[in-house]
Amino acid sequence: MTDFNEHTITQAVLKSFSATPDPRLRAILASLVHHLHDFIRDIEPSFAEWQAAIDFLTRTGQMCSDTRQEFILLSDTLGASMLVDAINHRMPEGATETTVLGPFFVEKRPDVPNGADVSAGRPGEKLLVQGSVRAAGGGPLPGATIDIWHSDDDGYYDVQRGDLDTASGRARLRTNADGKFWFWTIHPAFYPIPHDGPVGELLRATERHPYRPAHVHFMIAAPGYEELVTHVFVAGDPYLDSDAVFGVKQSLIADYAHCPPGTAPDGTRMDQPWRHLSYDFGLKPLAAALQTGAAA
Ligand SMILES: [Fe+2]
């Protein structure tokens, strides 16, 4: 076949993929070609605009490194990450809601016992985080692993700072025999997503701000349950209603209570005012995930 024009090209490309053996790949490619060609017909890009788009995506890839994930930022700021999240997490009663992973999770993090201070001495208001992990609608889950990571008092993650040689505001711990966990850290600050790259250009061109409301990230895993990836946001934060990555859910907003000097619930004597977050998590059983998938 030859002489394709703007009316016949789509069918020709669809036909070229029609013998793809994997039915899922075949369906995905058919939808991609349909939507991509319709998008191009809708915007009718000039060659210069198409070249700018290629250049934008090229630079987005080139911006990525072990500690910087520009494509996740792009997915997040377009709402694509939260859409994928919403489709994949239709949650049962009692299960904690999910939100974006974000670009600052890294595999390298220290294992710490309950009660540890994970701030590595960074300045900021001391924060005690206490919580529990339960099966949604069920009992406590001992031995669940809990990854936490959060910004510091200046709004930076440890991996963004060139002046740190140890993890800070980042650790992995486990629930005790009662399904409980607790650790000390510093209160996180709201922060801008990295905006010195292509995604920042996009935000400036569209007059959007780059800020995310303050939060602590949690990734919680236990055998037989769906891994939970979520945040707990700080109630009262000025950016709760305009998160640059659309990640806020009401059930994930909690009081990081202001506490006067005194004795904290874990027995620590506090000479300065401090903050206290108490939050209980519910994990979705894998069996429920299978049932939900079958019903969908
Ligand atoms: Fe974050």
Side-chain angles (χ1 to χ4, degrees):
M1 291 175 69
T2 58
D3 299 318
F4 302 114
N5 61 36
E6 63 182 282
H7 305 293
T8 61
I9 184 71
T10 302
Q11 280 308 316
V13 178
L14 287 171
K15 189 158 180 281
S16 78
F17 287 126
S18 63
T20 302
D22 183 329
R24 178 65 175 159
L25 179 60
R26 190 167 66 242
I28 289 170
L29 285 169
S31 182
L32 173 67
V33 171
H34 268 302
H35 288 282
L36 179 63
H37 285 210
D38 280 352
F39 171 64
I40 292 168
R41 287 189 189 92
D42 184 36
I43 62 172
E44 298 196 338
S46 67
F47 271 112
E49 287 171 334
W50 197 244
Q51 186 54 46
I54 299 286
D55 178 61
F56 178 86
L57 292 175
T58 302
R59 288 184 293 111
T60 298
Q62 289 169 339
M63 199 81 196
C64 295
S65 70
D66 288 348
T67 55
R68 174 76 178 256
Q69 231 304 349
E70 194 76 0
F71 266 114
I72 290 182
L73 281 183
L74 183 58
S75 167
D76 289 354
T77 51
L78 290 174
S81 302
M82 282 307 293
L83 180 55
V84 173
D85 179 82
I87 288 167
N88 281 281
H89 293 110
R90 294 161 179 143
M91 303 304 268
E93 189 71 24
T96 302
E97 288 194 287
T98 53
T99 190
V100 290
L101 176 68
F104 296 121
F105 174 76
V106 293
E107 291 291 338
K108 193 177 169 194
R109 67 281 199 197
D111 284 289
V112 301
N114 279 303
D117 184 338
V118 305
S119 68
R122 298 284 307 156
E125 205 172 6
K126 287 289 183 190
L127 168 68
L128 173 63
V129 179
Q130 286 183 296
S132 67
V133 180
R134 307 180 68 86
L141 294 175
T145 59
I146 303 162
D147 278 289
I148 65 96
W149 66 106
H150 65 80
S151 62
D152 64 18
D153 200 42
D154 296 324
Y156 289 103
Y157 285 78
D158 55 356
V159 293
Q160 293 177 282
R161 306 193 79 110
D163 57 343
L164 296 180
D165 52 10
T166 58
S168 170
R170 179 185 306 279
R172 165 175 276 197
L173 56 162
R174 286 178 181 273
T175 52
N176 69 10
D178 300 321
K180 294 185 173 165
F181 69 92
W182 67 101
F183 61 93
W184 284 92
T185 188
I186 53 170
H187 191 265
F190 62 74
Y191 63 86
I193 59 170
H195 53 105
D196 57 343
V199 171
E201 288 172 32
L202 176 66
L203 294 180
R204 278 188 292 282
T206 54
E207 300 196 346
R208 283 177 50 183
H209 73 69
Y211 286 95
R212 299 214 60 211
H215 55 270
V216 175
H217 291 258
F218 291 86
M219 180 188 286
I220 303 179
Y225 296 85
E226 248 184 40
E227 185 174 68
L228 172 65
V229 176
T230 195
H231 313 348
V232 178
F233 294 94
V234 179
D237 188 280
Y239 295 107
L240 284 172
D241 290 330
S242 62
D243 182 4
V245 307
F246 308 96
V248 177
K249 294 176 179 175
Q250 288 296 322
S251 69
L252 301 177
I253 301 171
D255 189 21
Y256 285 57
H258 290 270
C259 302
T263 303
D266 72 337
T268 303
R269 178 75 200 164
M270 299 302 294
D271 297 329
Q272 303 288 326
W274 54 286
R275 305 284 287 264
H276 186 201
L277 168 66
S278 181
Y279 197 91
D280 297 318
F281 296 88
L283 298 194
K284 178 182 180 180
L286 281 175
L290 293 173
Q291 285 162 13
T292 305

